[in-house]
Amino acid sequence: MSELADFDAPLPRSFYERDVRIVARQLLGCYLVHRRGRSLVGGRIVETEAYGGPGDPGSHADRAPDGRARIMFGPAGFAYVYFTYGMHHCVNAVCGPEGKGSAVLFRALEPVLGIEEMRAAGAPSSLPDAKLASGPGRICRALGIDKALNGADLTAGTLRIVPGKKVRGIHATTRIGLSRDDGREWRFFVDGPSVSGGSRRPRR
DNA sequence: TCTATGATCGTA
DNA sequence: ACGATCATAGAG
């Protein structure tokens, strides 16, 4: 994987076991990579959102802790993958101490590895390469992530996060697309063409 | 059981 | 601005 850090040296579990806001910021610049057969598909993380446990009205963990979000209450460093709007998957990394119920949602990647595979996964031909993983649903479509990866160990399985270069110029805004929220600025991104561009997106 | 809705995206 | 499309949550 050439200029990238090694797929065989993923972030350790201790990285995820800290406050979800710290982890969300430090994940920027790291690489989310999925090994599919012989090939690697992934990119540089440029946008994340932090979700707290009970008490964060925007978090799935605030609603039904024994439902789909129960994986959020388990140990850190595992994937929480859910299906929404009848057609999209979204992927998170469980963070914080076990039982806290917090996680980081991956919202956008800058495509780096397996760009041909990303495009073949059903992206509209009008989408430029930079936008192939721009948005939580697009990340999962581009990398081939679905509920089969719910609960997967991000430190050892086929879906991993590997360290990258430290980033500067992190912006913080309110989170996108929530019906219940309290305005906390827990969305983090670094400027660039791969940042998601939904119609409800707050400006910098 | 039944119904409403969503941490979205593509097209108009 | 709207429709797709279905698992989940909340109501009855």
Side-chain angles (χ1 to χ4, degrees):
Chain A
M1 132 169 177
S2 58
E3 81 257 38
L4 294 187
D6 200 337
F7 184 75
D8 294 318
L11 292 169
R13 191 163 322 281
S14 57
F15 178 90
Y16 300 97
E17 289 170 340
R18 300 168 296 151
D19 183 278
V20 67
R21 289 163 292 179
I22 301 295
V23 180
R25 296 178 73 102
Q26 293 193 4
L27 281 170
L28 297 175
C30 296
Y31 296 84
L32 179 64
V33 182
H34 189 199
R35 190 179 68 211
R36 309 191 67 187
R38 312 163 186 69
S39 52
L40 295 173
V41 187
R44 180 173 171 265
I45 298 163
V46 296
E47 180 179 348
T48 59
E49 277 175 357
Y51 286 89
D56 176 359
S59 177
H60 290 172
D62 191 51
R63 303 187 100 234
D66 295 319
R68 63 180 170 179
R70 68 189 170 282
I71 190 71
M72 291 178 72
F73 292 86
F78 290 83
Y80 166 46
V81 181
Y82 66 91
F83 182 67
T84 190
Y85 288 101
M87 57 187 78
H88 301 293
H89 292 274
C90 296
V91 60
N92 299 251
V94 175
C95 293
E98 182 169 356
K100 176 93 168 160
S102 58
V104 171
L105 170 71
F106 298 100
R107 284 201 58 92
L109 310 179
E110 172 190 312
V112 175
L113 289 166
I115 293 178
E116 288 309 309
E117 278 193 61
M118 292 188 194
R119 190 164 287 288
S125 54
S126 60
L127 261 194
D129 285 354
K131 294 282 187 193
L132 289 174
S134 174
R138 285 178 181 175
I139 287 176
C140 289
R141 184 182 58 194
L143 304 206
I145 295 168
D146 63 21
K147 277 177 71 176
L149 284 165
N150 189 35
D153 186 351
L154 296 172
T155 72
T158 62
L159 180 65
R160 302 185 182 190
I161 304 170
V162 303
K165 217 183 82 178
K166 194 165 187 171
V167 301
R168 295 184 12 226
I170 298 175
H171 300 282
T173 73
T174 53
R175 297 170 295 186
I176 295 179
L178 307 192
S179 62
R180 308 188 73 110
D181 195 11
D182 58 6
R184 58 184 75 188
E185 298 191 333
W186 282 14
R187 170 180 176 246
F188 305 100
F189 67 96
V190 290
D191 276 318
S194 297
V195 173
S196 74
S199 53
R200 302 168 222 184
R201 166 174 39 106
R203 292 284 168 189
R204 63 172 23 202

